[in-house]
């Protein structure tokens, strides 16, 4: 199957329609897929939030601003699909839970699409695992996000586990200053190295 056909099939996917219809927002699936086969960096995120559900473009929110800062890239580079693929663990906004937080990505999405999609991205040299769901799928096993990020040297330079760049993690960043002081300079250098190649 060609990449274009696969992307078209995902864009038409309605597997979670009933699940999303049962949430408070009662929204329909809107898969947000951002990739082309030549990409060299993979951003493996969680799932689109409501802003991205509306814009149809990944990380068009404050989380995206923070992630771009962590990577040391501007928006034009970040959204260059020939260089950076952005594939969350679910391609659609999952809805809100009772406390108003985003629901976790429905596992059916990765189960249905992820392996096949990654097989169409043979040039990936650097993978950013953004949040616990991406870490669990890509790394396997069980560990806290903090433990996985603290162990980043075990996976670099091919893979970097990162906390989600959401404002909800601002306190986490303050509690873990080594993240900005030690991990981010190495990550930025690695991103530049891969993009410059
Ligand atoms: S989240 Fe994934 S599996 Fe569910 S409807 Fe969207 S594209 Fe399909």
């Amino acid at each position: 199957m060609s990449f274009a056909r696969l992307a078209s099939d995902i864009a038409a996917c309605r597997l979670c329609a009933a699940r999303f219809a049962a949430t408070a927002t009662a929204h329909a699936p809107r898969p947000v897929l951002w990739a082309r086969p030549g990409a060299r960096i993979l951003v493996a995120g969680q799932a689109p939030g409501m802003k991205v559900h509306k814009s149809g473009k990944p990380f068009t929110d404050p989380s995206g601003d923070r992630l771009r800062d962590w990577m040391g890239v501007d928006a034009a580079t970040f959204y260059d699909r020939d260089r950076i693929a952005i594939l969350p663990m679910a391609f659609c906004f999952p809805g809100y839970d009772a406390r108003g937080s985003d629901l976790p990505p429905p596992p059916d999405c990765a189960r249905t699409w992820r392996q096949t999609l990654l097989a169409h991205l043979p040039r990936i040299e650097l993978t950013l695992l953004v949040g616990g769901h991406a870490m669990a799928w890509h790394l396997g096993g069980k560990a806290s996000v903090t433990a996985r990020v603290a162990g980043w040297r075990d996976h670099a330079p091919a893979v970097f586990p990162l906390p989600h760049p959401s404002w909800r993690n601002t306190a986490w960043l303050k509690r873990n200053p080594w993240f900005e002081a030690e991990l981010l300079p190495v990550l930025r250098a690695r991103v530049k190295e891969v993009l410059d190649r």
Side-chain angles (χ1 to χ4, degrees):
M1 183 191 293
S2 71
F3 179 83
R5 172 66 193 277
L6 179 59
S8 160
D9 285 354
I10 294 173
C13 179
R14 296 295 178 267
L15 203 58
C16 304
R19 176 195 286 256
F20 297 160
T23 66
T25 46
H27 59 290
R30 185 185 188 190
V32 178
L33 175 66
W34 202 265
R36 286 202 186 109
R40 295 194 296 277
I41 295 177
L42 169 64
V43 175
Q46 182 155 308
M50 179 53 96
K51 278 190 181 165
V52 171
H53 175 68
K54 287 181 176 166
S55 72
K57 191 172 177 181
F59 286 107
T60 48
D61 53 17
S63 292
D65 293 336
R66 179 177 266 171
L67 181 59
R68 286 183 281 278
D69 176 58
W70 287 355
M71 296 171 68
V73 298
D74 59 18
T77 304
F78 185 77
Y79 288 115
D80 181 352
R81 280 178 265 209
D82 289 317
R83 299 207 279 175
I84 297 180
I86 305 169
L87 303 178
M89 295 309 298
F91 298 122
C92 301
F93 169 55
Y96 296 123
D97 65 17
R99 292 178 305 169
S101 299
D102 288 8
L103 287 163
D108 277 353
C109 195
R111 209 175 286 137
T112 306
W113 299 115
R114 198 161 188 82
Q115 204 73 60
T116 309
L117 195 47
L118 292 179
H120 281 76
L121 301 175
R123 298 186 64 198
I124 296 294
E125 297 176 47
L126 168 60
T127 298
L128 311 188
L129 302 177
V130 183
H133 294 283
M135 291 175 200
W137 195 90
H138 283 263
L139 299 178
K142 284 191 179 175
S144 69
V145 167
T146 301
R148 292 213 204 249
V149 180
W152 63 275
R153 290 180 179 86
D154 296 340
H155 308 288
V159 175
F160 282 76
L162 305 174
H164 196 280
S166 158
W167 62 269
R168 292 175 191 275
N169 278 333
T170 298
W172 186 95
L173 295 171
K174 285 190 177 146
R175 282 197 309 274
N176 297 281
W178 51 265
F179 175 76
E180 292 193 353
E182 297 173 30
L183 186 154
L184 287 190
V186 179
L187 173 63
R188 289 182 185 127
R190 177 65 176 149
V191 168
K192 186 173 185 315
E193 178 191 29
V194 172
L195 290 177
D196 286 351
R197 212 189 315 279

